Amino acid sequence: MRFRIVVREDPEDGGYVVSCPAIPGCHSQGETLEEALENIKDAISGCVEVLNERTE
């Protein structure tokens, strides 16, 4: 699956904040862009897994 994500620099704490608008509440962050992207992939996988469990 492919999801659109939103990446924002965090001016207060540094690093990046990322979210997946298609999945409410699916957010993550990372100190580097690469770390933030890996973290949101994990967050999306976890959110999708939980959503699938709710429909079973």
Side-chain angles (χ1 to χ4, degrees):
M1 289 185 170
R2 298 185 111 196
F3 291 94
R4 184 174 306 253
I5 60 168
V6 176
V7 179
R8 294 189 178 103
E9 287 188 58
D10 187 343
E12 291 181 23
D13 297 324
Y16 297 87
V17 175
V18 287
S19 61
C20 179
I23 306 174
C26 187
H27 308 278
S28 193
Q29 54 98 32
E31 291 186 26
T32 66
L33 181 58
E34 293 78 16
E35 180 182 24
L37 295 175
E38 284 302 313
N39 290 344
I40 195 65
K41 287 178 188 177
D42 290 340
I44 290 170
S45 293
C47 288
V48 168
E49 186 175 312
V50 168
L51 291 170
N52 285 336
E53 288 175 1
R54 290 182 181 174
T55 61
E56 292 178 351

